[in-house]
Amino acid sequence: MSAAPVLLEARDVVKRFGGRPAVDGVSMQVHRGETVVIIGPSGSGKTTFLRCLNHLERIDEGDVLLDGTSVGYREGRHGPVELPPREIAVTRRRIGFVFQRFNLFAHLSALDNVALAPRNLLGLSRQDAEVRARQLLARVGLADKEESRPAQLSGGQQQRVAIARALAMRPEVMLFDEPTSALDPEMVGEVIAVMRELAAEGMTMVVVTHEMGFARAAADRIVMMDAGKILEQGPAEQMISDPEHDRTRRFLTQIAH
């Protein structure tokens, strides 16, 4: 376990849909600078749990803490009270989120997609926001695509713009929800390369993915979820080579084919 301080923590998090728990009492700590990969079969609660971490999903029980402060709630006289949207947004700025489907604005250039949030949410001038955006597009290998709109970019390029957009807010932690699942196989590598660089630079990351090559190379820890719970977790190499549970072994065998 990392000696760095805990940055993001889930405590007994429960999220129900229609009365049934999609996330069922999950507790997990993520240390500053750590890369945690979450794996598990479809329907195991991985994406729902990830969305609970930045309050895209309201939790039904438990707590999520960012650097010791509750995400989305404060303690009221009769239990947790959801914060106003403005206060939630302030906390959420500290947590970058990269979606499966890019979610770029189709009518904006790559440059404007990246510069928009720093201008609107951080109050940067257009000039300062564009300087930051150009630096980040260069960082993800797209310095020559700043005027291109999403329709003019490949899927891998769009996802790299989405990563640059999340980084533009200078988050303390980045959450990735199966960031390569919507990509053609030949485009996966370019996105994984950017993510590996971020991990090497010490960005705190929680990544839901089936890309076990990335997990082996970049993850400090792998967490296996099944039926809304954490089944097991451990160092990446150990989890890939010698997992404790047969369910994990069977899952890893399935995704290797």
Side-chain angles (χ1 to χ4, degrees):
M1 186 62 69
S2 171
V6 173
L7 177 59
L8 186 64
E9 182 176 9
R11 295 180 178 173
D12 301 315
V13 169
V14 175
K15 175 62 184 180
R16 300 184 185 91
F17 294 110
R20 302 184 65 176
V23 177
D24 192 4
V26 171
S27 295
M28 187 176 79
Q29 293 183 333
V30 181
H31 295 257
R32 193 175 291 276
E34 187 179 23
T35 295
V36 177
V37 164
I38 302 177
I39 62 173
S42 178
S44 61
K46 308 181 302 294
T47 289
T48 300
F49 175 62
L50 200 71
R51 291 171 63 87
C52 288
L53 292 179
N54 76 335
H55 203 67
L56 283 175
E57 294 287 355
R58 295 180 174 90
I59 62 176
D60 294 307
E61 295 178 28
D63 202 3
V64 175
L65 304 173
L66 178 64
D67 208 12
T69 300
S70 183
V71 176
Y73 298 92
R74 61 173 174 80
E75 194 60 38
R77 293 178 62 184
H78 304 291
V81 176
E82 189 174 26
L83 295 170
R86 185 183 296 271
E87 292 184 42
I88 294 172
V90 170
T91 302
R92 196 177 281 151
R93 293 173 197 169
R94 301 167 62 191
I95 307 173
F97 201 107
V98 177
F99 300 86
Q100 294 181 40
R101 292 284 176 181
F102 325 138
N103 289 358
L104 299 177
F105 292 107
H107 66 289
L108 296 180
S109 67
L111 183 72
D112 288 338
N113 264 286
V114 177
L116 185 66
R119 286 180 60 199
N120 289 351
L121 299 178
L122 299 182
L124 268 63
S125 68
R126 174 183 288 275
Q127 180 178 2
D128 289 345
E130 289 184 354
V131 167
R132 182 180 296 187
R134 287 191 176 94
Q135 291 171 341
L136 289 168
L137 288 173
R139 184 176 180 183
V140 299
L142 295 174
D144 61 336
K145 298 294 185 182
E146 67 176 56
E147 296 303 325
S148 299
R149 294 191 178 187
Q152 298 169 306
L153 300 172
S154 70
Q157 289 169 336
Q158 289 184 62
Q159 191 62 293
R160 284 186 281 157
V161 173
I163 293 172
R165 178 183 58 184
L167 291 172
M169 296 297 290
R170 295 184 174 164
E172 296 173 54
V173 58
M174 289 277 285
L175 310 180
F176 293 82
D177 182 19
E178 299 196 39
T180 60
S181 65
L183 301 179
D184 293 333
E186 64 268 21
M187 298 177 187
V188 170
E190 61 194 54
V191 174
I192 291 297
V194 171
M195 294 170 61
R196 286 183 64 173
E197 286 180 14
L198 290 174
E201 292 167 5
M203 172 62 74
T204 308
M205 299 164 60
V206 182
V207 184
V208 172
T209 186
H210 291 165
E211 295 291 336
M212 299 312 297
F214 168 79
R216 187 188 292 273
D220 298 291
R221 181 160 41 108
I222 295 177
V223 175
M224 171 69 181
M225 288 188 67
D226 192 32
K229 297 178 179 289
I230 291 179
L231 183 63
E232 64 173 310
Q233 59 182 304
E237 190 61 41
Q238 173 194 317
M239 285 285 291
I240 294 170
S241 302
D242 189 26
E244 178 181 342
H245 285 266
D246 181 62
R247 180 73 183 94
T248 307
R249 286 192 290 273
R250 285 188 284 114
F251 174 75
L252 289 172
T253 300
Q254 290 169 354
I255 64 173
H257 297 294

